[in-house]
Amino acid sequence: MLSVEEATRRVAATIRPLPPEFLALPLAAGRILREDLHADRDFPPFNRVAMDGIAVRFAAFETGLTEFRIERTQFAGQVPTPLLDPHAATEIMTGAMLPEGTDTVIRYEDLTFRTDEATGHRFATVQALPPQAGHNVHPRAADRHQGDLLLPAGTHLGAAELAVAATIGATTVAVTRLPRVAVVSTGDELVPIAERPLPHQIRRSNALMLQAAAEQAGAITQTFHFNDDVAVLQESLPALLAEFDAVILSGGVSKGKADFLPEVLRELGVEQIFHEVQQRPGKPFWFGEKPGGAVVFALPGNPVSTFVNFYRYARPWLLGVQQSTTSFETGSIPAVLATEVSFRPKLTHFLLVRLEYSSSGQLLAHPERAGGSGDLASLLTSNAFLELPPEQELFPAGTILPAWRFRCGAVLATKAV
């Protein structure tokens, strides 16, 4: 039986980046970039006006001039006209290109205006002198230079990244293809969720749980259900092993007389990488890989076991094949145990907790009551699980342990502690 650390290492060893595909930029939100994107011109590409006001030549102030005749008005997007008269100004708007002959912008808040009734000319008087030339001007290339690397391969494309890509004209980008995942529930006792189960039956909740979790990790999923029948498994699984990047199964992997999956998977050419991990819940976890085909996560059927194993092993794998940095190395965060906990068996214990911040900013982990690996409802009040190492039995309050979050907005509440 493997340690959690060794099981993690063996799962991680099967991570190979999925091939890239090319998408129109608006369709690439949330995907992982597979090419370097460079600036096609300077950022900003010209001396950009940063305030609404007037553009003047700073040297005019050194002669004592504080009133300027408005020669013309220029808006953002207009071709600038040079200002030839050093005693004049261009009324100018934010985002416009600074016209030649000017180097400073005075904002409206620091100006008063008058109109000469005889000539109709407008004049602006500067009430607060600028500290230096270039005031309220965003200089060309102040942010980035043409050719600078803006978005390296491996970047997660969020809203800001898409905006930068649009700015450099990246209409189509290379991104990682999404992983294709088959979610398979097994067991004669399972019925569709729309049916009313008989007293000896339960609904297929694990499949929906795994499907939702896999899709949140970026996967494209399809669900299947097979009864505990060797012939059915032998007939149905080969297509899934060939067509999908990963097959995630729930149930049928323990030592019961109807737990046929490990044997059938080996018969179908899936190389067993391990079976059983020194952990609770989820010890019967089976993992393997079909050469040239899918990776197989065969998870125990108890819902909390299924859930914890997915977030501890399968989710980091799905993120890893997309070349996301959020994988095994960065999947957990340190949290402070809020109350004392003891766990006697020499197993890694995944303890359901509720994370919240204390008034001092500590991320506290409050253990939640759970009725064992079959207590699906215990997941409703938890948002993470702590990983307790097998080397010790008593974990005092204040112990810092890795926490694996499984709920968006990982902190449920904030309380003074």
Side-chain angles (χ1 to χ4, degrees):
M1 191 160 51
L2 291 183
S3 67
V4 168
E5 291 75 15
E6 180 61 18
T8 298
R9 188 190 68 77
R10 295 191 187 187
V11 173
T14 68
I15 292 176
R16 289 175 287 277
L18 294 171
E21 62 181 355
F22 289 88
L23 290 181
L25 187 61
L27 302 178
R31 303 292 282 271
I32 304 299
L33 187 66
R34 291 290 292 276
E35 61 178 326
D36 292 338
L37 296 183
H38 297 81
D40 65 333
R41 58 180 184 164
D42 294 334
F43 274 36
F46 49 79
N47 292 326
R48 179 182 176 274
V49 174
M51 288 283 183
D52 297 328
I54 62 171
V56 298
R57 188 175 299 176
F58 183 79
F61 295 111
E62 297 174 344
T63 67
L65 184 67
T66 58
E67 186 178 70
F68 298 84
R69 180 176 58 84
I70 304 301
E71 191 169 279
R72 63 181 57 84
T73 300
Q74 181 186 323
F75 296 90
Q78 290 184 331
V79 177
T81 299
L83 185 70
L84 302 179
D85 184 353
H87 302 112
T90 297
E91 188 171 10
I92 202 156
M93 307 303 151
T94 301
M97 185 176 184
L98 191 70
E100 185 180 345
T102 68
D103 56 15
T104 302
V105 172
I106 312 301
R107 62 180 187 165
Y108 278 137
E109 292 87 341
D110 297 325
L111 299 169
T112 57
F113 289 87
R114 70 176 181 86
T115 300
D116 186 286
E117 295 183 358
T119 63
H121 291 153
R122 294 175 66 230
F123 291 85
T125 300
V126 178
Q127 303 296 326
L129 297 181
Q132 70 273 326
H135 192 57
N136 291 328
V137 176
H138 193 177
R140 176 176 177 170
D143 301 334
R144 297 291 189 278
H145 290 86
Q146 181 179 355
D148 282 354
L149 176 62
L150 300 179
L151 298 172
T155 298
H156 181 272
L157 294 175
E161 291 76 16
L162 290 176
V164 169
T167 298
I168 64 174
T171 57
T172 303
V173 290
V175 297
T176 303
R177 173 177 65 76
L178 296 179
R180 298 186 294 261
V181 175
V183 174
V184 183
S185 58
T186 65
D188 297 345
E189 76 279 14
L190 302 178
V191 299
I193 60 175
E195 290 187 14
R196 178 180 293 276
L198 298 174
H200 62 282
Q201 297 175 321
I202 57 175
R203 294 185 175 95
R204 298 171 188 166
S205 58
N206 275 3
L208 181 60
M209 177 174 68
L210 289 170
Q211 181 182 31
E215 289 181 355
Q216 287 178 345
I220 300 171
T221 67
Q222 190 173 347
T223 58
F224 304 86
H225 176 77
F226 304 132
N227 285 339
D228 293 322
D229 185 303
V230 171
V232 170
L233 294 172
Q234 290 172 333
E235 180 182 355
S236 304
L237 286 175
L240 306 187
L241 295 170
E243 295 172 9
F244 291 87
D245 302 303
V247 177
I248 304 178
L249 302 109
S250 175
V253 295
S254 192
K255 298 183 183 297
K257 291 187 177 181
D259 292 329
F260 305 125
L261 273 175
E263 179 183 351
V264 170
L265 288 168
R266 286 190 292 266
E267 289 176 359
L268 296 176
V270 181
E271 296 179 353
Q272 176 180 312
I273 296 175
F274 60 78
H275 188 192
E276 296 193 347
V277 181
Q278 294 173 339
Q279 62 185 32
R280 183 182 292 178
K283 183 174 71 171
F285 174 27
W286 191 99
F287 181 72
E289 184 175 20
K290 171 77 171 179
V295 164
V296 178
F297 295 87
L299 311 179
N302 280 330
V304 177
S305 297
T306 301
F307 190 89
V308 166
N309 272 315
F310 175 86
Y311 278 92
R312 182 59 179 82
Y313 300 101
R315 184 176 185 273
W317 187 92
L318 290 172
L319 296 174
V321 297
Q322 297 173 73
Q323 289 195 324
S324 171
T325 56
T326 305
S327 192
F328 290 104
E329 297 79 9
T330 57
S332 65
I333 57 171
V336 179
L337 188 61
T339 58
E340 180 179 285
V341 171
S342 62
F343 185 71
R344 186 171 297 277
K346 290 189 178 299
L347 301 170
T348 297
H349 182 39
F350 298 128
L351 176 69
L352 291 176
V353 295
R354 183 185 79 256
L355 297 179
E356 65 178 19
Y357 284 105
S358 71
S359 58
S360 62
Q362 278 190 321
L363 184 60
L364 297 178
H366 297 269
E368 287 293 305
R369 184 187 67 83
S373 59
D375 184 7
L376 179 60
S378 65
L379 299 174
L380 298 177
T381 56
S382 308
N383 54 11
F385 56 86
L386 285 186
E387 187 169 326
L388 278 57
E391 293 81 18
Q392 64 188 89
E393 296 181 3
L394 183 65
F395 300 86
T399 304
I400 300 175
L401 295 163
W404 296 80
R405 294 174 289 184
F406 54 74
R407 198 181 301 282
C408 294
V411 178
L412 291 176
T414 302
K415 297 180 180 178
V417 175

